[in-house]
Amino acid sequence: VQLQASGGGLVQTGGSLRLSCRASGTTLEYYAIGWFRQVPGTKREKVACLTTEDGATLSTDSTKGRFTIIRDNEKNTVYLQMNNLKPEDTATYYCAAGATLGWTYCPPEAFYDHWGQGTQVTVSS
């Protein structure tokens, strides 16, 4: 199983980006999905997760109302739609997939079986 993350880049404050996470070797539809981010020298941080096949994004306090996870089952891809970006959103973003659905909160990093390689997002002020 491989996850390929892409879509990062440079954007101005208030702008939007859509990150992609495409899977090969498995069907993402049946996986819980997590997005994380990390700034060098700090711990990896939860951003949002999708823990059911067709449910709503669970977000952290820092991303609530701005970040949404979208599934495209035909493309075996999930997206992280990021709106109203802020300079503090600058980080390397990672997608992850875990084999158990039904969490009512975003599970910890250890839950996820598969990780993408990271894509850099930079938000200029």
Side-chain angles (χ1 to χ4, degrees):
V1 176
Q2 287 190 325
L3 300 181
Q4 180 72 36
S6 62
L10 174 64
V11 64
Q12 291 186 333
T13 296
S16 298
L17 275 178
R18 176 175 284 201
L19 306 184
S20 300
C21 180
R22 187 173 64 86
S24 57
T26 194
T27 302
L28 272 187
E29 181 178 3
Y30 306 115
Y31 281 73
I33 302 299
W35 282 91
F36 294 77
R37 65 188 180 190
Q38 188 171 26
V39 175
T42 67
K43 288 183 61 177
R44 194 151 51 185
E45 173 193 18
K46 295 177 190 177
V47 171
C49 69
L50 191 60
T51 62
T52 61
E53 291 180 38
D54 56 359
T57 303
L58 302 178
S59 303
T60 63
D61 288 343
S62 62
T63 63
K64 191 170 295 184
R66 301 189 299 124
F67 290 12
T68 304
I69 300 175
I70 303 163
R71 291 189 190 268
D72 186 336
N73 294 331
E74 289 189 4
K75 295 182 179 178
N76 206 25
T77 298
V78 293
Y79 302 97
L80 179 67
Q81 177 66 43
M82 305 186 295
N83 298 326
N84 191 24
L85 283 161
K86 305 174 181 180
E88 52 264 42
D89 294 318
T90 296
T92 300
Y93 283 71
Y94 299 88
C95 62
T100 303
L101 291 167
W103 294 75
T104 57
Y105 59 92
C106 286
E109 285 187 48
F111 159 76
Y112 295 95
D113 306 301
H114 311 291
W115 289 81
Q117 83 286 8
T119 184
Q120 177 67 35
V121 171
T122 303
V123 184
S124 63
S125 57

